[in-house]
Structures are given as structure tokens and as C-alpha cells.
Amino acid sequence: GPIALVNGKAGVPAPGYTTTQTGVYQWVVDYGGDTNNIEARSECGKEAVTIGKMPTSINTVPSNADGGPVGTALTDSATVIGNHPTGNIRFYLFGPDNATCNFKQTSDSAPHGWIFMAGPIALVGGKASVPAPGYTTTQTGSYKWVADYGGDGNNTEARSECDKEVVTIGKHSDGLTSTPSPGGVTGTVIFDTAKVSNGMDPGGSVTFSLYSPADAACTSAPIFTSTVALEANGTAKSAS
């Protein structure tokens, strides 16, 4: 002001004042009077306007959203939607044994419900990410990220939902190659060797089955079987 009265009325021109912090703002109007009217001032507290924090939300994007085999490293990224949000964010990863993202202790051996936590990580431009390599998966199943924003002076706290970021980890697609021993005349002792490759430290056993010359389609019962454990290098050799 001063702003001229029109028919006894006046208003603050738009846009007025853009608030910069939370709290209670109070208008006081001061009228300077004229020849026929005395000065006047409105009371403090008569026009209280409460400004609160901006409700925030979190958009998140996990790495390997399409899943992967055991041993895949998982990270997460988040963007906080609000009024120029600052502050910190924490990322929690829940394993296949905690489908509901229970934050509390789930077993005697686990002090809390998550299997991995990164943070607090400061927002930059409203964004933050789990530093690489993140968490390296150790079993198959569904892993779930939850991002937790602590809020700041102008923005409320926020937490992403369980099931919003589900990453499915499956078994490796192993390759199997086998090599028979050389042939020969009747009475020759034959055997077979196999190698499991492309897996993650493959273990277990391999069963070799031998079919007779009369069973070219291998549809009848084998005439010989041999089950042996895989060696540390993923190879196995049948009995002979």
C-alpha cells in the first residue's frame, strides 16, 4: 500500500506474499482515515492464516526391475515430490522371508525386519540413490524396497509402499555339456563326463543314464545309472 479505497473496499494485489515457512501468519489492516473518518487498525489475531508442511510422496525406481539370477546386486533410486524437498532418505530392502515388509524383528537371529539399509542419504534436487553395489542377493524369491523420507521444515515425512518395488530373483540358467568316453569293441568299458557351467557355484549331483542299442529313443528304463556329486569346478564323471 497505500491502496486506494473503492466504495470503501480495498484488496492486496495478486500474487500477494508467497509464504516461505510453516506457521501462523497474521494480517493487520491499517486505514489512514480521511476528512470525515478517523484512522483505524484491525486487531492482531483477527486474521490468522495457518501454513503447514507440504504433503509429500515418493517415486521410486529399483535396479533390475525385471529380475535376475541369484547373485544380482540390487540398488534403488527415489524422487521426493514436494515443495523443494531437502533432508535425508533411507532405503530398506526386505528379503523373500518378509513379504509384508515388517520393520520389526522377525526372528531370534535378525535384530530387525530388513536385510539391508542404506542411509541417511542427502537429497540432491529432491533425489537420492543407494550407492553401488547395493545388496548382492543370496537366495531366490521376491525382494522389496521401501524408501523412507524424514521430511524437512516445509515437507512432511513420506514412505513408499511395500509391494511398490518388487524384484524377483530366480535360479541361474545353467548350461550342461557332456562328453562320452571313446567307443570300441565288445567288452570296452565306457563312461561319461559332464560339466555344469554359467551357474553360481553349482553344487548337488548329476545322474548319468545309459540306454541300450535297442532303445535309440531312450524311452525304456536305462540299463545303467550312476549318480555322482559335482566337483568344485562343476564337473562330474560317471562310474564305469
Side-chain angles (χ1 to χ4, degrees), residues 126-150:
K127 299 180 179 182
S129 298
V130 174
Y135 177 82
T136 300
T137 54
T138 58
Q139 66 183 99
T140 61
S142 295
Y143 292 76
K144 300 177 181 182
W145 284 105
V146 172
D148 191 88
Y149 170 57

Side-chain angles (χ1 to χ4, degrees), residues 175-203:
L176 176 65
T177 57
S178 57
T179 304
S181 62
V185 299
T186 301
T188 298
V189 177
I190 59 177
F191 59 89
D192 197 13
T193 59
K195 181 174 179 60
V196 177
S197 58
N198 302 326
M200 180 183 178
D201 302 322

Side-chain angles (χ1 to χ4, degrees), residues 2-234:
I3 301 172
L5 291 175
V6 177
N7 296 324
K9 298 179 180 180
V12 175
Y17 176 80
T18 301
T19 54
T20 57
Q21 65 185 85
T22 60
V24 178
Y25 293 76
Q26 303 191 61
W27 285 106
V28 172
V29 180
D30 192 82
Y31 170 57
D34 61 14
T35 304
N36 299 316
N37 298 277
I38 62 173
E39 298 176 355
R41 173 173 288 176
S42 63
E43 297 178 2
C44 181
K46 184 178 180 179
E47 293 184 274
V49 180
T50 301
I51 298 297
K53 291 185 177 183
M54 172 75 74
T56 56
S57 59
I58 305 178
N59 288 339
T60 50
V61 179
S63 66
N64 304 98
D66 294 330
V70 174
T72 299
L74 304 179
T75 63
D76 195 22
S77 298
T79 300
V80 178
I81 310 301
N83 180 19
H84 305 291
T86 60
N88 300 302
I89 194 168
R90 285 179 170 86
F91 296 89
Y92 298 90
L93 181 64
F94 297 86
D97 298 328
N98 191 349
T100 60
C101 303
N102 181 5
F103 276 76
K104 297 181 180 179
Q105 182 176 352
T106 56
S107 69
D108 292 339
S109 61
H112 39 62
W114 63 87
I115 59 174
F116 174 82
M117 190 275 283
I121 300 173
L123 291 176
V124 177
K127 299 180 179 182
S129 298
V130 174
Y135 177 82
T136 300
T137 54
T138 58
Q139 66 183 99
T140 61
S142 295
Y143 292 76
K144 300 177 181 182
W145 284 105
V146 172
D148 191 88
Y149 170 57
D152 62 15
N154 296 318
N155 296 276
T156 62
E157 300 176 357
R159 175 178 290 176
S160 62
E161 298 177 1
C162 183
D163 294 331
K164 184 178 180 181
E165 297 181 272
V166 181
V167 180
T168 301
I169 297 297
K171 293 184 177 181
H172 280 265
S173 299
D174 299 326
L176 176 65
T177 57
S178 57
T179 304
S181 62
V185 299
T186 301
T188 298
V189 177
I190 59 177
F191 59 89
D192 197 13
T193 59
K195 181 174 179 60
V196 177
S197 58
N198 302 326
M200 180 183 178
D201 302 322
S205 60
V206 174
T207 297
F208 297 89
S209 299
L210 180 66
Y211 296 84
S212 74
D215 189 9
C218 305
T219 56
S220 299
I223 60 174
F224 173 82
T225 62
S226 174
T227 300
V228 294
L230 278 177
E231 299 289 342
N233 61 0

